[in-house]
Amino acid sequence: QRVEEACAFLRGERPDVLQEIRAAMEEEARHRQFEKAAALRDTLLMLQRLIKERTRARKTLEVKSAEARAGVEELQQVLRLDRPPRVIEAYDISNISGTHAVGSMVCAVDGVPHKNRYRLFRIKTVTGSDDPAMMAEVIRRRYTRTAAGEAPLPDLVLVDGGITQLRAARAELDRLGLHALPAAGLAKHFEEIHQVDASTLRLPLDSNALKVLRQLRDEAHRFALTYHRRLRLRRIRESVLDEIRGLGERRKAALLQHFGSVARLRKASAEAIAAVPGIGPAMARDIRATLDSTASTSKEPVPGEHA
């Protein structure tokens, strides 16, 4: 009953709870039950603070949502779109010299990020540091089903980068027959907005339209970078198996399939490792010794994904 009352209060369905607690506190005090009265007083103060914090947070969110909606309306004007871009999908690429290359897509509805629509891509067809080609791959993979009518289209595609990345994205959209889907790029240098068939735009830094684009661009960058770091750290951890003489790719694959990760393998006993098909006691002892000798260098946390 108390849990149900608390939930109803937090939903705003029981505003009279505070008065009830205050009355109970005063009743306990009249009966000289001062410890119970003090506990009720503390509860009352805590709930009052909670109400203030929730009210402040709600007002802040309302202001931000209003600014975001205003930014969406402004984007329609400055980008000369047929309608306000209520759904915007933003893309970024992250790699170091072409290694562990990944792409990210983040989405905003009415200018507010919707994390349940985020997506991550591991680059499959591009080698080396070719960000435009990687951007084209991500756009192609994202919109192939959309072009076939199997998924809804956004109102605007935003690319993190300048005109080169934007042209790569635009060309891929056109190849898919999505000629009417608007696309723009936001370059970090001077925060310039690029469009393939229009002049470069520079909006005031306090512009609501620019705030919407910057927030999405930065979110796409953060999301891609987090995934890239995660893959890089995973590879660093798995590379410890390369140091074990006689442990070929087939045996490494068997170990990772059996234990799920190097982190779990580190916790396994020599006997458990030896039980993996193709390993045996002697190899298990070598694996255990190598893992023990590198234990102090493997404790860096892996960043989580925000899909």
Side-chain angles (χ1 to χ4, degrees):
Q1 184 180 2
R2 287 181 177 179
V3 171
E4 290 174 358
E5 285 285 332
C7 291
F9 172 76
L10 292 174
R11 291 193 298 267
E13 298 170 3
R14 285 294 312 277
D16 53 342
V17 166
L18 294 182
Q19 286 76 13
E20 293 175 5
I21 295 175
R22 184 183 299 277
M25 176 188 69
E26 293 172 351
E27 182 69 16
E28 295 292 353
R30 277 196 299 270
H31 290 84
R32 305 181 67 81
Q33 298 295 322
F34 298 119
E35 290 186 5
K36 292 182 179 180
L40 288 167
R41 177 204 60 202
D42 293 342
T43 300
L44 183 63
L45 292 174
M46 178 189 67
L47 290 175
Q48 288 173 335
R49 283 199 300 271
L50 178 61
I51 290 172
K52 289 180 181 179
E53 290 171 2
R54 286 174 62 85
T55 301
R56 190 181 306 118
R58 185 164 53 247
K59 288 180 178 178
T60 300
L61 181 60
E62 289 172 356
V63 169
K64 289 184 177 180
S65 297
E67 289 180 349
R69 287 193 296 271
V72 169
E73 298 290 338
E74 186 181 342
L75 279 171
Q76 179 186 8
Q77 303 301 320
V78 298
L79 298 181
R80 298 181 180 179
L81 304 177
D82 293 335
R83 60 179 183 269
R86 293 195 61 246
V87 179
I88 305 174
E89 293 181 352
Y91 295 84
D92 187 30
I93 300 295
S94 181
N95 69 93
I96 297 178
S97 301
T99 61
H100 304 297
V102 301
S104 69
M105 183 205 84
V106 302
C107 179
V109 177
D110 288 328
V112 178
H114 274 234
K115 294 190 176 182
N116 61 333
R117 299 193 185 189
Y118 288 14
R119 286 187 61 183
L120 291 164
F121 304 83
R122 293 187 70 168
I123 301 302
K124 299 178 179 179
T125 64
V126 181
T127 57
S129 299
D130 192 342
D131 283 10
M134 294 178 189
M135 182 64 72
E137 177 187 327
V138 170
I139 294 294
R140 180 170 61 253
R141 287 165 59 185
R142 167 66 184 96
Y143 292 110
T144 295
R145 288 178 57 246
T146 302
E150 299 177 18
L153 282 168
D155 299 309
L156 176 66
V157 172
L158 177 67
V159 172
D160 178 20
I163 192 64
T164 304
Q165 284 89 337
L166 176 61
R167 282 173 177 160
R170 180 73 268 168
E172 202 60 44
L173 291 171
D174 291 343
R175 269 192 287 271
L176 291 170
L178 301 175
H179 307 284
L181 178 55
L186 182 60
K188 293 183 179 67
H189 192 55
F190 299 126
E191 301 288 13
E192 294 175 332
I193 302 173
H194 294 275
Q195 293 176 281
V196 171
D197 298 323
S199 58
T200 299
L201 294 173
R202 284 193 192 177
L203 300 180
L205 293 180
D206 60 352
S207 158
N208 287 324
L210 184 58
K211 287 178 182 177
V212 169
L213 295 184
R214 288 176 67 181
Q215 180 185 26
L216 271 179
R217 188 270 316 277
D218 294 346
E219 179 72 347
H221 180 71
R222 179 201 63 77
F223 197 41
L225 187 60
T226 298
Y227 186 42
H228 177 258
R229 286 173 176 165
R230 184 176 186 272
L231 294 179
R232 192 155 41 92
L233 286 171
R234 181 186 298 170
R235 178 59 192 137
I236 290 170
R237 285 179 170 154
E238 293 179 357
S239 66
V240 67
L241 299 180
D242 297 336
E243 302 175 14
I244 302 171
R245 180 178 295 182
L247 188 65
E249 293 301 320
R250 189 170 297 179
R251 284 174 166 174
K252 282 192 287 186
L255 285 168
L256 291 173
Q257 182 176 3
H258 182 85
F259 291 103
S261 67
V262 173
R264 291 180 181 173
L265 175 60
R266 287 183 181 278
K267 299 177 182 178
S269 64
E271 291 76 14
I273 297 173
V276 177
I279 300 299
M283 178 62 71
R285 286 193 294 271
D286 290 344
I287 294 171
R288 187 67 267 166
T290 301
L291 294 174
D292 290 340
S293 67
T294 60
S296 62
T297 63
S298 65
K299 297 180 179 179
E300 185 177 356
V302 178
E305 292 180 54
H306 303 279

